[in-house]
Every structure is written in C-alpha cells, then in structure tokens.
Amino acid sequence: MDKIAVIMAGGAGERFWPLSRRTYPKQLLKIAGERSMLATVVDRIQLLIPYENIYIITGGQLKEAIEDELPQLSKDNIIAEPCGRNTSACLALACAYVRARYTDDVNMLVLTADSHISDEAAFLNDCREGFKLSEVSDNLVLFGVRPVRPETGYGYIECGVPLEGGNANGRCFHVASFREKPNTDTAIEYLKAGNYLWNSGQFIWRTSVLIHAFEEVFPECGRQIAPMTQCIQNHDADGLASAFNEIPKKSIDYGVLEKYKSVVVVSVSFPWDDIGSWDCLDRISPPDSDQNVLVGNVLALDSSCCTVYTVKGQNREPDHEKLVVAYGVRDLVIVNTDDVTMVFPKSMAQRVKDVVAAVRESQKGKYL
C-alpha cells in the first residue's frame, strides 16, 4: 500500500504576529533553526516517504511562495485550497486528490507545518508503527503527546482502554474523550491524572477509512469528495471551488474525530512542541545566563526571562543593524520588525490574536 504525507500549511500564524504576516506566515519563517518550519517538516518526513508522495495543502496566496521554498517538490504536489474552510475541508480535499491520482487505497500521514520535534529517529519509528496499525485496522489513528507541564494552549485527549492487539509497544489506546484547551487548574488535574495526552494534530489513516468517517458522521463534507475528485480529474477549477465551498467550516476534531466510533491514540515516544506562540521560544531556543532568548542585534541589561526578537525584510532575517535594548524588565516579549514594534507580557502570548483583530478593526490592515 502506498504511503503519503499530507502537510497542512494554510494557517495565518496570527499568534506570531508581527513576525508572521499574511503573505509570509510562520510556516515559512526560520523560527526554530536555519530552515523554515515547513522545509524542516519536509526534510524530516522525506526520510520515510519519497518526495513524489509528499503533499502540501495551503492557501492560494501562499502557493507560489511555498513552491519557491520547496523546489524539490513537484508544483502539482502543492495544493491550493480555493478558500480557508478549516481542517475538515482541507483533509476532504486531500482525499479527493488521492482518489484522483491513486488507483488503490492509500495510507495517509497528516502532519502540521509548525511542529518542533527534536528526536527524528523516534518520530520516524512512531510513524512506521502508526502505518502498520492503520493498514491492518479500520481505526483513525491519532498521535498524542505525554504532557510535561500544565499547558493551557493545547487540546487534550483522554485515553480509554488499551487497544487489544495493537502494536506501538502497548502505547495505543481507544479515545475516551476530547477536551478543549483547559484553564490552568484543569491542566494541572490532567497532568496529575496521567491518562491525558496533548492533541498534536497529527494523524495516520487509510484514505478509505477517513472517507467512510466523513460520510458517516459529517455527511455535508463527505458528499463533496466525489464531485471534487471528478473536478480534479477534469481540471475544473471552478467546479472544484464550488464543491469545496459547500463544506461547512469545522475542524477535523469537531467534525469527525469527536463523533466517529473507531478512533485510537498512540502515545508517541518523541518530544513534541507546537510552535504556535511567542512563549514557545523558551522551550526550543537556547537562553542566555539570565534565561533571555535573544535574536538579532539585542542587548539585555538587568533583564531576565525575556524574548527579544529583531528582524528585517520580508523573509524576517535577524536584524544585525538596528540595536534593541531591554533594560530592567522581566517576562516580556519584545518583537521588532521593519514596520512594527510590539511589547507584551509573556503570560499574554496566547492572546496576540486579539491584537491582530484590533489592528484589523482599526483600519491598519497593511501591517497584517
């Protein structure tokens, strides 16, 4: 059975504003290393899946930029959504392309473009185990991560009974429930309970199983897969857009996973972090002796536990010309770009999207 990887790369990355912008969002930025986050994901998974079976799904406004970022991929493998309609529609579109291009059923690994994974070998091994599991069962397989802190920025998965006959070295469980992002007290309870995992937003399933799940629990989405497949085969872009736009906006979690009867979760063996907001840099970047993370021409004096990031240009390369000084401050994020400077408490990192909304409402959209 063919194995493919589908990388969802359509998000705007608003919690990383003002670094992340509409035309150059966080998945194209070099936040966690010398390669962009998206290129890093492709580099990692191509050790298991050949380039011709790696697909990127993104927004139309980003297709050309991603083609430039990933010249090793065929342009036909970089799929532009007609519009943004959340992850259920994104993955239904992926199913339609698979049906249009592959004769037989396909084993699909779904990845996000903004995951930080430090143990590549463990990740690839868990992917192999997940492929084995999805190939021999009719389950939707999720990757869950054992919590290491009471995180309030992630959703959680409650583990039920172990999957009988499952592999993954006894780390596979039926899903008992999905939990939304908790408050701090609830996150502490989940951590103490020991049977909750972070929802990494990464999955493995056979395409036929996902399509069946769509048809059973989200038929408004499932019924559009066949017409989208036909439009792809006929190169009918207008028809594809019309069918795609009929799909209600729902996440794959809410649209399918919370309702479908056969969903299991593998407790992965690799360290994982979602590069979703500014506070994550504390966990993925080496700090100085005062626990500051400093990027660019930055001077931190009598300051501790701060993230100071100064960049220039559309590709957000570190700015080594303009000096940014943090003096006598603690627990702040300071971000400086060509046209925006933003300062906020690190504790409010999850609320940067509110700032983006305020900028939009104040008719200053050119800064987004």
Side-chain angles (χ1 to χ4, degrees):
M1 182 180 294
D2 282 328
K3 298 177 179 64
I4 70 169
V6 173
I7 303 171
M8 298 185 291
E14 290 185 343
R15 284 179 294 166
F16 256 107
W17 189 83
L19 193 65
S20 177
R21 305 291 177 95
R22 284 177 302 204
T23 57
Y24 213 84
K26 67 175 182 178
Q27 54 265 38
L28 295 176
L29 299 174
K30 300 172 183 177
I31 292 174
E34 297 181 356
R35 299 272 282 163
S36 72
M37 289 196 288
L38 179 57
T40 300
V41 174
V42 172
D43 291 346
R44 183 186 303 126
I45 198 56
Q46 65 85 26
L47 299 172
L48 184 62
I49 296 174
Y51 286 128
E52 59 265 27
N53 283 349
I54 298 175
Y55 294 85
I56 314 294
I57 300 188
T58 188
Q61 77 279 9
L62 298 178
K63 179 174 168 59
E64 185 174 345
I66 290 178
E67 288 173 353
D68 292 341
E69 181 70 12
L70 302 172
Q72 67 271 44
L73 296 188
S74 166
K75 292 182 179 180
D76 291 337
N77 284 27
I78 300 172
I79 299 166
E81 296 175 293
C83 62
R85 298 199 70 79
N86 217 315
T87 51
S88 284
C90 171
L91 293 172
L93 182 64
C95 289
Y97 270 91
V98 167
R99 274 192 163 180
R101 295 183 179 181
Y102 295 83
T103 304
D104 300 317
D105 202 4
V106 167
N107 222 342
M108 178 191 294
L109 168 66
V110 179
L111 302 171
T112 60
D114 54 1
S115 291
H116 179 70
I117 295 171
S118 56
D119 190 335
E120 190 173 83
F123 166 77
L124 295 173
N125 185 64
D126 281 356
C127 287
R128 293 185 187 98
E129 293 295 322
F131 276 130
K132 291 177 185 176
L133 181 59
S134 65
E135 189 165 334
V136 300
S137 74
D138 292 334
N139 292 302
L140 302 176
V141 182
L142 286 56
F143 277 180
V145 180
R146 186 69 60 186
V148 295
R149 62 183 182 276
E151 176 62 55
T152 61
Y154 303 157
Y156 285 70
I157 299 169
E158 182 185 8
C159 296
V161 298
L163 178 66
E164 291 186 11
N167 47 17
N169 298 317
R171 293 182 285 114
C172 189
F173 305 87
H174 291 279
V175 171
S177 69
F178 291 85
R179 304 296 176 93
E180 297 295 330
K181 297 175 182 178
N183 58 31
T184 300
D185 289 342
T186 303
I188 292 173
E189 291 177 6
Y190 291 167
L191 187 62
K192 290 180 178 177
N195 64 324
Y196 288 87
L197 303 174
W198 288 334
N199 186 350
S200 75
Q202 300 176 106
F203 322 105
I204 298 182
W205 41 50
R206 297 199 316 277
T207 306
S208 61
V209 175
L210 179 59
I211 292 173
H212 178 265
F214 275 130
E215 293 171 343
E216 182 172 303
V217 301
F218 192 6
E220 302 93 333
C221 180
R223 70 171 64 105
Q224 299 303 326
I225 295 175
M228 288 195 297
T229 301
Q230 186 172 10
C231 290
I232 293 166
Q233 292 170 329
N234 295 337
H235 305 286
D236 179 4
D238 291 338
L240 178 61
S242 178
F244 186 82
N245 289 337
E246 290 294 319
I247 301 175
K249 291 183 178 181
K250 291 184 181 180
S251 69
I252 191 65
D253 299 68
Y254 181 72
V256 175
L257 300 179
E258 293 182 10
K259 302 178 177 71
Y260 193 57
K261 61 183 182 298
S262 301
V263 183
V264 299
V265 59
V266 173
S267 178
V268 299
S269 62
F270 55 86
W272 170 90
D273 217 317
D274 173 42
I275 308 178
S277 56
W278 282 105
D279 55 341
C280 81
L281 293 185
D282 291 350
R283 302 187 296 271
I284 66 173
S285 302
D288 67 8
S289 58
D290 294 311
Q291 300 304 303
N292 299 303
V293 174
L294 309 176
V295 176
N297 192 14
V298 175
L299 184 61
L301 301 173
D302 295 331
S303 298
S304 61
C305 303
C306 290
T307 295
V308 189
Y309 212 100
T310 178
V311 296
K312 63 180 179 179
Q314 179 176 337
N315 62 358
R316 305 294 188 257
E317 295 290 342
D319 189 347
H320 296 293
E321 298 172 2
K322 182 191 296 183
L323 175 65
V324 176
V325 179
Y327 181 40
V329 295
R330 178 181 174 85
D331 292 322
L332 290 183
V333 176
I334 303 170
V335 187
N336 179 73
T337 71
D338 293 338
D339 56 350
V340 176
T341 300
M342 182 173 174
V343 181
F344 58 95
K346 198 175 291 184
S347 62
M348 299 184 71
Q350 296 292 332
R351 298 178 60 184
V352 171
K353 292 179 73 171
D354 297 340
V355 177
V356 172
V359 172
R360 187 179 294 112
E361 291 170 4
S362 64
Q363 307 301 311
K364 299 183 185 297
K366 69 177 183 178
Y367 297 106
L368 301 178

